[in-house]
Amino acid sequence: FKAHSMIIFDPSSLPARVAKDGIPREILQNRYELLEKFGMPRGYRMLDAGASFWVLSGNLFTFVSVLMWIWLAGDAVISSVTTIVILFPIFGVAYAIFSTKD
């Protein structure tokens, strides 16, 4: 925190000269506010959320498709073990998603 805050808040540094109306210290807590201070459009937030959604869903569906292939192509023992092993993470993720409060 100290190294990058020294660079940002030094009046002779490039970020301090480029920033509009100076840089408050609280801006380092939120990356969107920092990027908007340097001229990023507000629509970037939606782009960032969409990109995060597609990357995470792509990872999830790739993982699920590999597990489905193992489950369908394997023996009964492998299918049973795969089913048991998969249930615990599914319940854990479902619990984490539905128990969080914003």
Side-chain angles (χ1 to χ4, degrees):
F1 178 77
K2 186 175 180 179
H4 71 270
S5 65
M6 286 176 33
I7 292 172
I8 290 176
F9 297 116
D10 182 20
S12 63
S13 70
L14 181 62
R17 289 182 286 164
V18 171
K20 304 170 187 171
D21 306 325
I23 304 172
R25 290 202 178 271
E26 298 83 30
I27 206 164
L28 293 177
Q29 301 297 325
N30 187 343
R31 70 175 187 234
Y32 297 116
E33 290 179 21
L34 180 63
L35 291 171
E36 287 171 3
K37 190 71 163 177
F38 286 95
M40 178 196 74
R42 292 190 59 85
Y44 177 78
R45 291 181 187 218
M46 190 181 327
L47 177 72
D48 187 46
S52 298
F53 171 76
W54 287 114
V55 166
L56 291 175
S57 63
N59 289 335
L60 175 70
F61 290 132
T62 301
F63 181 71
V64 168
S65 66
V66 168
L67 289 176
M68 284 293 288
W69 176 73
I70 291 171
W71 188 63
L72 292 173
D75 297 331
V77 175
I78 293 175
S79 298
S80 302
V81 170
T82 304
T83 303
I84 293 169
V85 169
I86 294 303
L87 289 179
F88 291 112
I90 287 175
F91 288 134
V93 169
Y95 177 77
I97 289 173
F98 295 116
S99 68
T100 57
K101 296 178 183 175
D102 289 332

